[in-house]
Amino acid sequence: MATYSGKFSINSAYTMYLDVSESSYDIVANTSLVAWTLRVHSDKALQYGSWEYTTANVPYSVYINGTRVANGNRTYDFRNYKDLTVASGTTTVEHNEDGTKVVACSASYCTSSSPIGKASVSGNFTLTTIPRASEIVCTSPVAMASTQAVTVTQKSTSFSHILYYSTDGGTTYSEIGRDTATHTYSWALPDITSTIPNADSATYILKCETYTNSTYEGTPLESTQNIVATVPPSYVPTIAITSIAEGNPSVPATFPYIVGFSKLAVRTTFTGSANSTCVGRAVQVGNEIITNTSSASVVDMQFANAIAGTSVNVLATTTDSRGRQGTATQAESAYAYQNPNIQVDLTRADSNGNTDPVGEYLQVRAKWFYDVVNNLNSATIKIYIDETLEYTYTPLVSSQTEWTNICLLDDIYASSQFDFVATIEDLLLTASVSQTVSKAI
């Protein structure tokens, strides 16, 4: 309720009040019943005097919403009471189409020549907003391509409505349905994932047009609800480990990966999901991780660290423009290679190879080992005298644990000292042994 008050112009001990209240409202008619009362209150004690009464009818008027709802004459005699109800009544006020309404209210009583003078009041009274547009009820967020129930709650059974949806921010709308018996609709959310490559969700708009008739005539009232539609979880990028190769040029191409030597070169291929693009990827081999932020589909990565064990997992991950991830793994094995080694035994000898402390020949015997690497490896033994290659020998076996004659070198003067070096070279490494041979005489 609202009360508007004003003092009388001659005697301020008298106050006029206009009480306005909303008794009820009618959804179908879009109207409110407004009750009003015009009254006067005296602050003075009851007494007999010429100011407190009049035998002449003095005018009053009341206006509600621009319409005069009361007009008449009324005497007053405040010698017998302190409060006077001049008039009261009700009137029906029509609301705006959207259910809102602000009512202008005013009233006056007496004239300026009456004993207490004249009073006037005015004000604006806001009525209850009458619910007109149907309400939309739908779960949010929901997944694109799913089917959701949408309920429309009508404010009156005499109203009709049409339900629409929009996926482009309200630029265009498509109809879902109209006036089902249960006011519940099955809505198949369209999948627009391919149009939002950089987002994981989109905002759909549900709109309900409410008509205050059953023939969809006139300008409808609109209500909307925003629905967050998420990209279905099936849309994820893929990353494929398309090739793994030897990245250390010192390892023969025919060899398997070698523990402690092989450095992998990994190629990955990114494939987006519904137009998503690559914003980053990472590949891990052992404890080494290489990251790359290129949007290219194919990226090559060369690892700096050698393989540490006989088995290694290659893990590739990628993130797309929606923030979703894809992974791929591939297991590789490596060969536990053993380094070659050689030992030599040197003896001065005669031309027949017999031991001779002052002989001018050198009998060379050796023990050796080299790793066959799945029968892919081979080795060569080389003999050097004072850095000059004197003899080359191809071992018939990969491991020789007994002393074996390699060669008999001549022109080994007893009066000379020289440096002797023997090497065993396989396809990956070289091992050597050196010795200084003193002169015999």
Side-chain angles (χ1 to χ4, degrees):
M1 184 180 75
T3 298
Y4 310 98
S5 62
K7 297 290 186 180
F8 281 82
S9 59
I10 294 177
N11 193 334
S12 62
Y14 295 89
T15 305
M16 185 182 74
Y17 297 94
L18 177 62
D19 300 324
V20 182
S21 62
E22 184 179 21
S23 299
S24 61
Y25 61 80
D26 187 323
I27 293 177
V28 176
N30 197 30
T31 59
S32 286
L33 183 64
V34 176
W36 58 269
T37 299
L38 181 64
R39 58 188 176 89
V40 178
H41 174 73
S42 171
D43 292 333
K44 297 176 63 178
L46 295 179
Q47 57 181 311
Y48 289 91
S50 59
W51 296 102
E52 285 77 27
Y53 74 98
T54 178
T55 58
N57 284 323
V58 288
Y60 67 87
S61 61
V62 178
Y63 287 82
I64 302 293
N65 196 37
T67 300
R68 188 171 63 185
V69 295
N71 182 44
N73 297 284
R74 180 67 186 269
T75 62
Y76 59 82
D77 186 351
F78 288 101
R79 295 173 300 176
N80 298 311
Y81 46 74
K82 294 173 67 68
D83 292 286
L84 169 66
T85 298
V86 179
S88 63
T90 59
T91 185
T92 299
V93 176
E94 185 175 356
H95 286 234
N96 301 322
E97 278 298 317
D98 63 359
T100 63
K101 185 63 179 178
V102 178
V103 178
C105 307
S106 63
S108 64
Y109 182 41
C110 296
T111 64
S112 57
S113 61
S114 68
I116 59 176
K118 180 181 180 180
S120 299
V121 295
S122 64
N124 293 320
F125 180 52
T126 301
L127 299 178
T128 300
T129 298
I130 298 177
R132 304 280 286 163
S134 300
E135 293 181 358
I136 303 169
V137 180
C138 182
T139 300
S140 179
V142 293
M144 297 178 191
S146 65
T147 299
Q148 299 296 322
V150 183
T151 301
V152 174
T153 303
Q154 288 183 309
K155 302 307 177 185
S156 171
T157 56
S158 66
F159 292 173
S160 59
H161 62 263
I162 306 175
L163 185 63
Y164 301 89
Y165 74 87
S166 173
T167 62
D168 57 9
T171 301
T172 58
Y173 282 92
S174 300
E175 182 176 328
I176 298 175
R178 57 181 67 191
D179 289 314
T180 63
T182 61
H183 306 302
T184 298
Y185 301 85
S186 180
W187 176 34
L189 279 74
D191 188 347
I192 64 167
T193 299
S194 61
T195 67
I196 52 169
N198 299 323
D200 195 40
S201 65
T203 299
Y204 292 3
I205 301 175
L206 287 173
K207 180 178 74 171
C208 183
E209 291 183 346
T210 301
Y211 297 84
T212 57
N213 53 68
S214 60
T215 55
Y216 311 108
E217 296 177 349
T219 302
L221 300 168
E222 292 186 358
S223 56
T224 61
Q225 181 180 345
N226 289 343
I227 302 296
V228 176
T230 58
V231 172
S234 58
Y235 287 98
V236 293
T238 59
I239 187 167
I241 302 172
T242 46
S243 70
I244 300 176
E246 178 62 69
N248 185 352
S250 66
V251 177
T254 57
F255 273 25
Y257 300 128
I258 302 298
V259 175
F261 292 88
S262 292
K263 301 175 182 180
L264 298 187
V266 180
R267 170 172 289 184
T268 58
T269 301
F270 170 90
T271 303
S273 176
N275 295 328
S276 70
T277 56
C278 181
V279 298
R281 76 188 77 193
V283 178
Q284 180 174 0
V285 176
N287 294 324
E288 185 179 1
I289 300 175
I290 298 178
T291 60
N292 184 284
T293 58
S294 170
S295 60
S297 174
V298 178
V299 170
D300 293 317
M301 296 179 178
Q302 174 61 59
F303 284 79
N305 297 340
I307 294 175
T310 55
S311 62
V312 61
N313 285 324
V314 179
L315 171 64
T317 62
T318 187
T319 302
D320 72 358
S321 50
R322 293 191 184 94
R324 297 191 170 187
Q325 292 188 328
T327 61
T329 59
Q330 185 169 323
E332 295 290 336
S333 59
Y335 186 85
Y337 168 83
Q338 298 181 62
N339 296 350
N341 64 76
I342 186 170
Q343 303 174 56
V344 294
D345 176 67
L346 306 178
T347 304
R348 284 186 178 274
D350 59 21
S351 60
N352 295 318
N354 298 315
T355 301
D356 182 354
V358 294
E360 295 189 348
Y361 291 82
L362 186 67
Q363 180 67 58
V364 179
R365 299 190 306 163
K367 299 177 182 179
W368 65 84
F369 168 82
Y370 71 91
D371 198 323
V372 295
V373 189
N374 299 333
N375 293 322
L376 299 172
N377 199 11
S378 61
T380 301
I381 295 175
K382 295 180 179 181
I383 305 299
Y384 296 85
I385 299 295
D386 289 335
E387 299 183 355
T388 299
L389 178 64
E390 297 290 343
Y391 189 78
T392 300
Y393 173 77
T394 301
L396 298 179
V397 294
S398 63
S399 179
Q400 181 56 262
T401 58
E402 301 293 334
W403 291 114
T404 301
N405 290 332
I406 298 297
C407 62
L408 181 66
L409 300 178
D410 59 1
D411 297 330
I412 305 300
Y413 302 112
S415 60
S416 300
Q417 176 180 294
F418 58 89
D419 293 325
F420 175 91
V421 176
T423 65
I424 182 168
E425 301 176 10
D426 69 7
L427 299 181
L428 184 59
L429 285 182
T430 297
S432 66
V433 61
S434 63
Q435 185 176 332
T436 299
V437 179
S438 302
K439 60 184 178 180
I441 56 175

